[in-house]
Amino acid sequence: MAKNIYDILSERILVLDGAMGTMIQKYQLQEEDFRGDYFKNHSCAMKGNNDVLSITRPDVIKEIHAAYLEAGADIIETNTFGSTTIAQDDYDLSKEDVYKVNFESAKIAKEVCDSYSTDDKPRFVAGSMGPTTRLASLSPDVNDPGFRNITFDELRVAFKQQAGALLDGGADLLLVETITDTLNAKAALYAIDELKTERGIDIPVMISGTITDASGRTLSGQTTEAFLVSIEHSSPFSVGLNCALGASALRPYLQTLSDKANCFISAHPNAGLPNEFGEYDETPEMMAEQIKEFLDLNLINVIGGCCGTSPAHIKAIAEVAAKYSPRPLPLKETV
């Protein structure tokens, strides 16, 4: 699989899917949808815990995956953005429950992908690994800046379980995404390296950071270049940026990555910035026009959407991306 996707990326830009949460909201699901039979007697409210829908409403998740594949996506993300034991502790999920969420999410995505794959256009599943609800570099207490509510090793253990379950379920790639704290991401990458060694496999890993504001830094204070330097030791399949900003605001930081990185470049920006109601106003046409700037500058290899994007956005992005060649991999310097 790894060789196959590398070969494809030498020929064309690959399209990632769009937002999962945006689509789930359209179904107006209620508490009983999130509980299903599996969590029927669970100890706390489950509404809003989108990841468990892979167990309780797999039909919804399958429909969303299919809609993005119909729109032209080459890669779909599993419904596991918050599926670590750390994040799911807010809902009192057990370690076994969290494994099942990840496994079933990957299994669902793989089944839908396989139904759309052809020899000319194979489809791939990216196991989504979000940032968790705790940060290793920052204190949650403004009065105690040295305090941490999570350790590197606790993060490593949680990410290792998630990555293992995603691979068991059939994920083709792993996507460490929406990185606000690079130390969290390094724990995930360390865990993935352990899995690679233990299982004797080489799984492609996508890494995607988040620039939180116009300062051009991550939440933990790194510039784009510093972020790249911090993670490039892991020899990622791709490095990129997603969330927080719209496409236009993301462009200069993608330029930095494209200039410096020796791997593929990805981007999945929001549909602009949220309005006063927390909604995203950029139409598919508006977003595609902004992403055309990335393509004109030959910055990217993988393009998709994050918050506020829908299959209509991905369709518009796929149509414009099909007209361009991918960014060539830079030649590595030899000593």
Side-chain angles (χ1 to χ4, degrees):
M1 198 290 301
K3 183 177 185 299
N4 189 18
I5 198 168
Y6 276 96
D7 288 345
I8 294 168
L9 274 170
S10 68
E11 301 167 357
R12 62 185 178 89
I13 294 168
L14 290 183
V15 177
L16 190 66
D17 62 4
M20 176 62 74
T22 298
M23 296 297 291
I24 288 174
Q25 287 173 12
K26 297 180 186 298
Y27 287 82
Q28 298 183 333
L29 302 177
Q30 302 303 313
E31 178 69 17
E32 55 267 27
D33 293 296
F34 290 87
R35 284 183 174 272
D37 290 332
Y38 190 86
F39 296 107
K40 186 175 182 179
N41 299 313
H42 195 63
S43 58
C44 65
M46 295 293 283
K47 186 177 180 181
N49 188 3
N50 290 344
D51 296 19
V52 301
L53 294 172
S54 296
I55 296 174
T56 63
R57 288 297 305 271
D59 57 313
V60 169
I61 305 305
K62 287 179 181 179
E63 283 183 10
I64 293 170
H65 285 324
Y68 280 121
L69 291 167
E70 287 280 0
D74 299 287
I75 305 170
I76 57 170
E77 301 175 55
T78 55
N79 180 38
T80 55
F81 183 81
S83 295
T84 56
T85 50
I86 296 165
Q88 289 298 326
D89 186 55
D90 292 345
Y91 294 95
D92 293 333
L93 262 64
S94 68
K95 182 178 178 181
E96 292 72 25
D97 292 336
V98 173
Y99 178 92
K100 184 174 177 64
V101 169
N102 283 285
F103 178 84
E104 293 297 334
S105 295
K107 183 180 176 183
I108 287 169
K110 187 63 173 175
E111 287 174 357
V112 181
C113 255
D114 285 348
S115 70
Y116 277 84
S117 288
T118 65
D119 290 341
D120 292 334
K121 192 175 175 65
R123 313 297 180 99
F124 304 97
V125 175
S128 173
M129 302 173 66
T132 84
T133 51
R134 301 183 185 187
L135 304 178
S137 295
L138 299 173
S139 171
D141 184 355
V142 294
N143 297 311
D144 186 3
F147 173 68
R148 299 291 182 271
N149 62 359
I150 196 73
T151 67
F152 183 91
D153 199 51
E154 288 170 333
L155 286 162
R156 177 191 64 80
V157 170
F159 281 127
K160 187 173 182 179
Q161 187 209 22
Q162 182 182 28
L166 289 168
L167 294 177
D168 291 346
D172 301 304
L173 311 94
L174 294 174
L175 170 57
V176 181
E177 66 166 313
T178 320
I179 298 165
T180 52
D181 184 343
T182 309
L183 191 55
N184 281 40
K186 288 171 80 71
L189 297 173
Y190 189 95
I192 292 168
D193 276 345
E194 285 187 321
L195 277 175
K196 287 181 177 181
T197 300
E198 291 170 9
R199 298 190 180 196
I201 59 173
D202 186 15
I203 189 83
V205 179
M206 301 176 70
I207 302 174
S208 186
T210 296
I211 301 300
T212 54
D213 56 40
S215 71
R217 294 175 181 267
T218 64
L219 185 63
S220 56
Q222 284 191 309
T223 63
T224 307
E225 186 171 357
F227 164 69
L228 173 62
V229 170
S230 297
I231 54 88
E232 62 182 351
H233 66 88
S234 64
S235 300
F237 167 77
S238 69
V239 64
L241 298 170
N242 75 288
C243 203
L245 303 176
S248 289
L250 210 59
R251 185 192 54 76
Y253 312 117
L254 281 175
Q255 182 75 63
T256 297
L257 289 179
S258 183
D259 290 344
K260 307 280 184 185
N262 285 320
C263 59
F264 297 118
I265 301 297
S266 73
H268 50 297
N270 292 347
L273 295 175
N275 60 28
E276 61 271 25
F277 301 108
E279 298 172 343
Y280 295 84
D281 296 325
E282 285 189 359
T283 65
E285 294 73 24
M286 292 166 63
M287 194 171 178
E289 185 61 30
Q290 293 175 49
I291 282 173
K292 185 175 179 295
E293 296 179 26
F294 302 170
L295 303 168
D296 287 334
L297 293 169
N298 209 16
L299 299 182
I300 56 173
N301 304 94
V302 180
I303 186 67
C306 201
C307 301
T309 58
S310 67
H313 289 84
I314 298 307
K315 184 174 187 294
I317 290 168
E319 288 173 351
V320 70
K323 301 174 184 176
Y324 288 81
S325 298
R327 164 187 171 272
L329 277 179
L331 294 173
K332 292 185 179 181
E333 295 181 5
T334 56
V335 178

